[in-house]
Amino acid sequence: MGRAVMVGRGPTGTRLFFLSTVIILTARSSRAQQGDGCGLSVLGPCSGSLSSLGYPGTYPNHTVCEWEISVPQGRRLHFRFADLDIEENNCQVNYLRIYDGIGPHRTQIVKFCGLGLNVPDLILSSGNQVTVQFMSGTHQSGRGFSLAYSTTEHADLITCLDKGIHFTEAEFTRYCPAGCLTSVGEISGTIPHGYRDSSPVCLAAIHAGVVSNSVGGQISVVNSKGIPHYDGSLANNVSSTVGPLSNSLFTFKTSGCYGTLGLESGIVRDSQLFASSVWEWSDVIGKPSEWGPTGARLNGAGLPWASAHSNQQQWLQVDLKKEKRITGITTTGSSLLEYQFYVSAYRVLYSNDGQHWNIYREADATQDKIFKGNTNYLQEVRNNFIPPIEARYVRISPTQWHQRIALKFELLGCQFHQARPRIYHPARPPPPSVATDTPPMYGQTTHTPDIRNTTMPPCTINDMAFATMLVPVLVMILTTLILTTVCAWHWKNRKNSSEGAYDLSHWDRTDWWKSMKQFLPSKMAEGEESVRYSSSEVGRLRVRGNTPRLRAEPAEYAQPLVSGVMTSLGQRSTFKPEEGSDPGYTDPNLYDAPMATDIYHAYAQPLPASGAEYATPIMIDIASHLSGSSTLNQPTTVSSFMGRGPASLLTRTDSGQSGRSMYDTPKNTGQATPTKDLAYQVPQKPVE
């Protein structure tokens, strides 16, 4: 129970005025307004807006109004002024007062009187009940006032008159109060293109369907560069006009649950559309004309749906096959110039089983919601559902129309993922009745009501859709990490294997190089020492007891390696004999030279019959082989070794060998003597 006290004073023809007190009986709500000076006001459960009579025009003389506002226990109220302009010639009878509490025990918070007052700060109450009182006497000017209120939880409260140009942030969040549909102002633009910066933000939010006029709500706004042209439309009982170029525009952030549900695109089949009745008739030449429910698709070609009867028991129904989140509806009339029929007001019913129907109502409302429809046969009109409808079946029930009930529509919304149990499947509605009367061109037209509508708030984020997008991303990231780890491990193993294959830490690197360089071209081995000597010198060394000092010379071909350590060739190699003007072996440094029988041959071995063209020298270690001889203690210079002529070489031929093998003879090691067929590379002495 609430009690409101209103002190009123009406205008009279005399200078005298009297004070009348009216006792208000029991009220059904804890919010009330009384008096003859009350302007357009909406007192919502958590927010609202108030204004003086005639605002923004001059308020009348000798009027009074009181608003009693209550919010839930434990909460407080604060007020923000959009405009305050009260003539100050007599502040005893021209003022605005705000009180803490309701009734005779209320206490004054603040009193205002004056023209063009600027009140930037919020006025805060100390409790959950507030009384606002406005009184006027005789005056000549003054617009009165306009203010907004909300609970203190919404510190970012703005008024219904705040425009886009008043906010310079690229993005901002504010709280719009209830009742901004009643405020003065004009908007230009529409969603999704945006609204001109001269538009009131909260009024544009109602038009866009992001807040409700009866409740208000939080909005998220984005400022951006303006566009050359702004379209106009009618939505949620707010008319948007065409606007010119502006420096900037603003749009609203939403959850995106504004998509069409398939009537216009054809996803909804003809078998999913039903109607209470269908208007049919034949023209003068007998051609039939049927206005069935399948023609009720928005922007569809052909005839729309029209009922056979013009009464409030007619309806048009759609089955969405499963529950959807329905956030709005767009309607149009017949869209036919010769049949200008349309529905100007309607109810919306919804059901999950097709049998039990609920009539849509706004939040905290006790009466059915009546939506304002079309004002002509052609223009599209959008209405949003706040809160959204969650149902499978939707039915439109016209309450007022022009000439005849005719309608095309589209539902707005998105998928609804919350599973609900199905009790049973509904039976197919009975076939509509058919009327065959000739269409009257000028039937009775119902009165179009002045209806205040609400709009749709942003939908919540769909968790399942978010998870569907997140899971593939996580799988890709995990796969990339695994592949990177495997590749790094494989590369490291290859590197270790490569290093192990060529690591010579346990080898004698000097012997390895000397063993391998014989396979390289001679020019690459010029920097290394190689020895060329005659086998005759070896015998002479035994006689003289001197060890020759070897002289390094670059060889034309690969040379046998002789060093102080044991080396060996992994495979046989072939050496071409030197060529010169005299092939008679006058050069003491020839390879194929006779040697004594009691030492190993140092150079050539016999070639097999199918062997290579040249002989293969044998690498031995002279130092090791002759280490037991005492005659090799004193070195002999290379000059004495090289000074010997070919005659001395011939005299040192082994007598045990035939003249034909006097040079290239296999070494005598106790092995079988080579057969006669074996040929050695013996240079022939030229015939003189």
Side-chain angles (χ1 to χ4, degrees):
M1 177 181 295
R3 184 174 182 275
V5 178
M6 184 274 294
V7 179
R9 181 178 61 182
T12 62
T14 63
R15 295 181 181 180
L16 298 178
F17 64 88
F18 62 92
L19 182 66
S20 62
T21 303
V22 179
I23 305 300
I24 307 300
L25 300 178
T26 301
R28 292 180 299 175
S29 172
S30 61
R31 303 175 299 274
Q33 66 179 28
Q34 297 294 331
D36 57 358
C38 303
L40 297 175
S41 304
V42 173
L43 306 180
C46 294
S47 65
S49 57
L50 314 175
S51 63
S52 58
L53 183 63
Y55 183 85
T58 302
Y59 53 92
N61 294 327
H62 309 300
T63 59
V64 65
C65 183
E66 284 190 357
W67 295 265
E68 293 179 349
I69 305 170
S70 297
V71 295
Q73 287 285 345
R75 296 186 178 183
R76 296 189 299 168
L77 292 161
H78 57 194
F79 297 82
R80 184 178 294 279
F81 281 91
D83 190 16
L84 184 57
D85 190 63
I86 301 173
E87 189 173 292
E88 57 187 356
N89 59 351
N90 188 355
C91 288
Q92 296 297 322
V93 294
N94 291 285
Y95 60 84
L96 176 72
R97 286 179 176 176
I98 299 178
Y99 296 91
D100 258 329
I102 294 174
H105 301 292
R106 64 191 183 186
T107 59
Q108 178 176 302
I109 300 175
V110 67
K111 176 182 178 180
F112 295 104
C113 177
L115 296 173
L117 297 179
N118 183 20
V119 185
D121 298 328
L122 291 170
I123 308 300
L124 183 64
S125 71
S126 60
N128 67 317
Q129 292 183 325
V130 172
T131 300
V132 178
Q133 183 186 72
F134 174 70
M135 181 174 288
S136 67
T138 303
H139 64 280
Q140 300 296 326
S141 63
R143 296 183 300 274
F145 75 96
S146 174
L147 63 81
Y149 75 88
S150 73
T151 56
T152 54
E153 288 83 357
H154 307 294
D156 54 353
L157 171 70
I158 60 176
T159 69
C160 298
L161 300 183
D162 289 325
K163 300 181 179 181
I165 56 176
H166 297 155
F167 304 95
T168 59
E169 304 98 323
E171 297 185 13
F172 60 91
T173 301
R174 295 293 187 274
Y175 185 83
C176 286
C180 287
L181 185 61
T182 61
S183 64
V184 295
E186 184 178 89
I187 65 172
S188 296
T190 185
I191 55 171
H193 304 296
Y195 297 88
R196 201 172 188 272
D197 56 4
S198 60
S199 304
V201 175
C202 292
L203 186 60
I206 296 174
H207 181 273
V210 296
V211 296
S212 168
N213 176 67
S214 62
V215 178
Q218 202 78 26
I219 59 173
S220 296
V221 186
V222 179
N223 280 322
S224 58
K225 185 178 180 181
I227 58 177
H229 178 78
Y230 296 89
D231 296 326
S233 64
L234 177 61
N236 302 305
N237 206 20
V238 178
S239 294
S240 172
T241 61
V242 175
L245 173 69
S246 66
N247 293 329
S248 63
L249 60 82
F250 61 88
T251 56
F252 299 96
K253 288 184 177 180
T254 66
S255 63
C257 193
Y258 287 93
T260 59
L261 294 182
L263 278 86
E264 182 178 356
S265 63
I267 296 177
V268 174
R269 300 179 180 179
D270 291 345
S271 59
Q272 297 173 235
L273 295 169
F274 311 97
S276 57
S277 64
V278 175
W279 183 38
E280 289 184 347
W281 56 276
S282 299
D283 57 16
V284 293
I285 62 175
K287 182 179 179 181
S289 179
E290 179 178 348
W291 299 52
T294 58
R297 303 175 186 274
L298 186 68
N299 296 323
L303 299 174
W305 168 73
S307 63
H309 311 287
S310 295
N311 56 49
Q312 294 189 2
Q313 284 70 47
Q314 306 303 307
W315 48 263
L316 177 64
Q317 176 181 315
V318 59
D319 177 9
L320 299 175
K321 292 299 183 181
K322 61 181 180 180
E323 291 184 19
K324 301 289 182 67
R325 185 184 297 274
I326 307 164
T327 57
I329 182 174
T330 302
T331 61
T332 186
S334 66
S335 68
L336 300 173
L337 179 61
E338 59 273 26
Y339 303 105
Q340 298 186 12
F341 308 147
Y342 58 89
V343 174
S344 56
Y346 57 89
R347 293 186 181 93
V348 173
L349 295 84
Y350 58 94
S351 172
N352 289 320
D353 55 24
Q355 299 295 325
H356 303 85
W357 295 88
N358 299 309
I359 302 176
Y360 182 80
R361 293 180 178 180
E362 291 183 321
D364 299 328
T366 58
Q367 296 180 347
D368 300 339
K369 170 73 175 180
I370 303 296
F371 293 92
K372 184 175 181 180
N374 296 87
T375 57
N376 57 57
Y377 72 98
L378 187 60
Q379 184 182 13
E380 295 181 4
V381 174
R382 172 173 50 84
N383 283 290
N384 292 99
F385 303 133
I386 301 178
I389 295 174
E390 295 173 352
R392 171 179 173 177
Y393 298 89
V394 176
R395 179 179 288 183
I396 302 171
S397 177
T399 58
Q400 295 182 359
W401 53 88
H402 175 71
Q403 295 185 9
R404 178 178 287 276
I405 296 174
L407 182 67
K408 292 182 179 181
F409 77 106
E410 175 66 274
L411 294 177
L412 308 176
C414 55
Q415 297 291 335
F416 179 64
H417 297 283
Q418 180 179 353
R420 291 186 178 182
R422 298 290 192 272
I423 300 176
Y424 60 91
H425 294 285
R428 186 181 180 90
S433 60
V434 178
T436 59
D437 56 322
T438 304
M441 297 304 296
Y442 301 97
Q444 183 178 2
T445 302
T446 58
H447 175 69
T448 301
D450 184 14
I451 303 171
R452 302 297 182 182
N453 290 350
T454 60
T455 56
M456 176 192 66
C459 301
T460 58
I461 298 175
N462 192 303
D463 295 336
M464 184 172 294
F466 177 75
T468 303
M469 178 184 67
L470 182 61
V471 169
V473 174
L474 294 178
V475 171
M476 292 178 63
I477 293 174
L478 182 59
T479 303
T480 302
L481 291 176
I482 293 174
L483 291 176
T484 303
T485 303
V486 171
C487 291
W489 177 80
H490 182 66
W491 177 82
K492 183 177 181 181
N493 287 346
R494 287 192 58 188
K495 182 177 179 182
N496 293 338
S497 300
S498 300
E499 291 176 353
Y502 298 98
D503 189 6
L504 301 179
S505 58
H506 304 290
W507 290 18
D508 188 341
R509 298 173 184 260
T510 304
D511 291 348
W512 175 83
W513 167 246
K514 291 183 178 181
S515 298
M516 293 297 296
K517 76 172 185 175
Q518 61 177 316
F519 300 105
L520 303 177
S522 60
K523 292 186 180 299
M524 297 180 60
E526 289 178 2
E528 300 290 336
E529 291 186 356
S530 61
V531 179
R532 302 175 60 194
Y533 56 92
S534 173
S535 60
S536 60
E537 293 295 333
V538 177
R540 190 169 62 86
L541 290 175
R542 294 190 60 187
V543 177
R544 299 179 59 179
N546 295 328
T547 301
R549 184 184 299 270
L550 303 182
R551 180 173 58 90
E553 289 184 358
E556 182 179 358
Y557 300 96
Q559 306 298 327
L561 299 177
V562 179
S563 62
V565 296
M566 176 62 68
T567 59
S568 62
L569 293 177
Q571 296 179 354
R572 292 185 177 184
S573 60
T574 302
F575 297 87
K576 181 179 178 182
E578 295 186 1
E579 298 178 358
S581 58
D582 184 6
Y585 295 95
T586 58
D587 188 355
N589 295 324
L590 297 178
Y591 286 87
D592 296 340
M595 63 180 295
T597 58
D598 54 348
I599 64 172
Y600 293 102
H601 199 289
Y603 295 98
Q605 286 184 340
L607 296 176
S610 59
E613 180 180 358
Y614 301 104
T616 303
I618 299 174
M619 299 285 94
I620 65 173
D621 187 355
I622 298 177
S624 300
H625 181 72
L626 300 177
S627 60
S629 177
S630 60
T631 58
L632 297 178
N633 295 330
Q634 299 298 327
T636 305
T637 61
V638 177
S639 59
S640 62
F641 177 78
M642 297 297 293
R644 305 289 179 176
S648 62
L649 294 176
L650 294 176
T651 59
R652 299 174 186 271
T653 305
D654 189 357
S655 61
Q657 302 294 333
S658 63
R660 190 177 58 180
S661 59
M662 59 183 302
Y663 290 100
D664 288 350
T665 329
K667 55 187 177 179
N668 187 8
T669 59
Q671 300 177 354
T673 305
T675 62
K676 183 177 181 180
D677 295 334
L678 294 177
Y680 299 92
Q681 297 296 321
V682 180
Q684 301 297 325
K685 184 175 181 181
V687 181
E688 295 181 356

